[in-house]
Amino acid sequence: MRLLAAGVLLLAHLCTAFYLPGLAPVSFCDDDKESEGCKSLIELFVNRLDSVESVLPYEYDAFDFCQDKEEKRPSENLGQVLFGERIASSPYKFTFKKQETCKKVCTRSYDPENSADRSKLAFLKKGMQLNYQHHWIIDNMPVTWCYDVEDGQKYCNPGFPIGCFVTPDGRVKDACVINSEFNKKNTFYLFNHVDITIMYHSGKDENWPGARLVMARLRPQSYKHTDENNLSCEGPPMEIPGEFNSKLNLIYTYSVTFEEKNNIKWASRWDYILESMPHTNIQWFSIMNSLVIVLFLSGMVAMIILRTLHKDIARYNQIDSSEDAQEEFGWKLVHGDVFRPPRKGMLLSVFLGQGTQIFIMTFITLFLACLGFLSPANRGALMTCAVVLWVLLGTPAGYVSARMYKTFRGEKWKTNVLLTALLCPGIVFADFFIMNLILWVKGSSAAIPFGTLVAILAMWFGISVPLTFIGAYFGFKEKPIEHPVRTNQIPRQIPEQSFFTKPLPGIIMGGILPFGCIFIQLFFILNSIWSHQMYYMFGFLFLVFIILLITCSEATVLLCYFHLCAEDYHWWWRSFLTSSFTAVYLFIYAVHYFFSKLQITGTASTILYFGYTMIMVLIFFLFTEQAFLQKETIIIICLRLRFTAASKI
């Protein structure tokens, strides 16, 4: 037990502390020392703006901020496009070690008589009202806004708000609390100035020229600039009245300073952001909670299997008369019916094939993330890896589905292959397409471009579907799974069942323990998706993944044993649904999370939240069916051992 705990601690520590940045370091130097391996220009890139009160992200240009005259857009991978990231260059450009104070970026003028200006300003106000946040990037590193939270701890947010809104009744958002001057009711305050501090690690004592950037922080400010030719970054805040009746000029400015920070290495420059998230203790509690459940279930399963099989083998070894040998009870009475093909065997085999594909994809993705290859610095790498793996894993899906369907004595092999390749991916794509239409109508940056949708369809039909057919070909060529007992020609009558051995109560109870292992980790995953928090603890997630797999298998085996003892041999679908019912609890938790933790408003955002949640639930539903295959293996082993012992009579 101590060795197990020590191993868990060591693995989680390694997996959470180590990551590969994914990019080669860039060296910066003074303007007069610029060379091929060292540059002086520091470019600031902007990403899409998002909000915890809306699921609709928008591009930076949608809010009429200052734009780069020669806008550049770095190439984005598939994961970034699917997550709605839209990175572009900005007019904020700095020279290494050159301090700037209250430098003007641009001026935006609005006339109440101009309908275009009215709509632009109204959209900007809406962004402040819904607490939309900027996401800026310098040298592939987020520019953070650090502030004090509870118990004197400092939290570094990779985003900062557009501004804030004081409601007509005087209520304010968190962004307004930091400035006591934001006190006028029914007024918008725009953060039109930023104080940026860039910290660097000097290479003078190292073997590389110049310096490397290790941290970029900012503090948003609001100043009412009255004279464009004589800017002063002090004084009253920039107010935008609730009623737009007169001309308005918004002047955007910035200040930048540089600090040497040689105690921070370039390879660990993300650590200060990740360490400001105080979740480690809760994660350990989650792991310990899950381990207790696993140990309890393991003990129960081991006790049942060892006790039952040991008694059976001992009894068969001591039998003197053939008459006694035929006295059977409990689950042994249904050995001639336990492998009778299930109803809707086609659908079950399709689900099993798709579940195998998702299971292998999840395992490899989490393993690579645990090793650090899919770190936060590698933007979009996690989603790209998952999609590519899913496409390439069509062969296992086709093989498992075809092999199981052949074991069920099915004959419509063409239908089986087509459903395996198209059914579940088709449901996910249809849901995703409807959500994308809503995003497109709303003008959100998360709307997937038409070209990307065509590329996804090409990967699906051009790679995944043919690989599924190849897997199915080899699956149908194999012999059916050999069962240790012959199935009776006449089905055995099932006696009346008690309440707890009926299908529905057993299925509902079966999903509770697996969900208990993951619900804490699920909270952090939902936070990273909907509250835009950075998720990096893949070591914990990988451990919970393994624990979930074991828990689903053991809970399913345990409940299967109980209802086989009640002489009910319809275990195929019950086994599948027992562990897969965890997905229903996931959906219930997602509903609870929506109403208790999120502040999402608007019909479109609500539809998007539940639409994407249904995709997650379906994937999880298929993923947890791996317990079914393990339970079938255990049943075959148990029956084989039992009849091996009986053959010694």
Side-chain angles (χ1 to χ4, degrees), residues 425-464:
I427 294 172
V428 171
F429 185 82
D431 189 333
F432 185 78
F433 185 75
I434 293 170
M435 299 301 105
N436 198 61
L437 281 178
I438 296 173
L439 292 168
W440 178 73
V441 169
K442 291 291 183 179
S444 172
S445 67
I448 308 301
F450 179 74
T452 305
L453 284 176
V454 172
I456 292 172
L457 287 172
M459 288 192 296
W460 178 15
F461 287 100
I463 302 174
S464 181

Side-chain angles (χ1 to χ4, degrees), residues 561-614:
Y561 172 78
F562 288 142
H563 71 251
L564 284 178
C565 285
E567 302 179 27
D568 183 357
Y569 51 84
H570 294 307
W571 64 276
W572 296 95
W573 275 106
R574 287 181 65 168
S575 300
F576 178 85
L577 295 173
T578 296
S579 55
S580 296
F581 200 80
T582 310
V584 177
Y585 290 109
L586 187 152
F587 178 74
I588 294 171
Y589 184 83
V591 174
H592 163 74
Y593 181 85
F594 177 82
F595 288 106
S596 64
K597 303 295 181 183
L598 296 180
Q599 302 155 359
I600 289 176
T601 57
T603 305
S605 292
T606 303
I607 294 172
L608 288 167
Y609 175 86
F610 285 104
Y612 288 129
T613 297
M614 291 308 297

Side-chain angles (χ1 to χ4, degrees), residues 224-232 251:
K224 186 175 183 179
H225 302 296
T226 54
D227 187 358
E228 289 189 46
N229 300 317
N230 185 22
L231 295 172
S232 174
I251 302 174

Side-chain angles (χ1 to χ4, degrees), residues 346-414:
M346 170 81 78
L347 186 61
L348 181 58
S349 62
V350 168
F351 283 166
L352 291 173
Q354 280 294 319
T356 303
Q357 187 176 10
I358 292 170
F359 169 75
I360 300 173
M361 176 201 76
T362 307
F363 179 83
I364 297 175
T365 302
L366 288 181
F367 184 72
L368 292 175
C370 187
L371 292 179
F373 290 102
L374 308 177
S375 70
N378 244 338
R379 301 176 188 278
L382 186 73
M383 178 59 78
T384 303
C385 178
V387 172
V388 170
L389 282 172
W390 181 85
V391 169
L392 297 177
L393 288 169
T395 304
Y399 178 84
V400 171
S401 178
R403 188 89 189 276
M404 292 303 300
Y405 186 61
K406 191 172 183 181
T407 303
F408 296 156
R409 303 171 195 167
E411 297 176 354
K412 299 177 181 178
W413 63 271
K414 293 180 183 178

Side-chain angles (χ1 to χ4, degrees), residues 57-58 133 166 269 282 325 331 364 544 562 571:
Y58 290 99
Q133 300 212 347
V166 182
R269 61 182 186 163
I282 300 175
W331 63 275
I364 297 175
V544 171
F562 288 142
W571 64 276

Side-chain angles (χ1 to χ4, degrees), residues 271-292:
D271 288 0
Y272 83 99
I273 305 174
L274 306 179
E275 290 170 359
S276 70
M277 301 177 185
H279 303 323
T280 309
N281 292 334
I282 300 175
Q283 295 282 356
W284 282 120
F285 171 76
S286 168
I287 296 293
M288 292 300 114
N289 168 61
S290 302
L291 282 175
V292 169

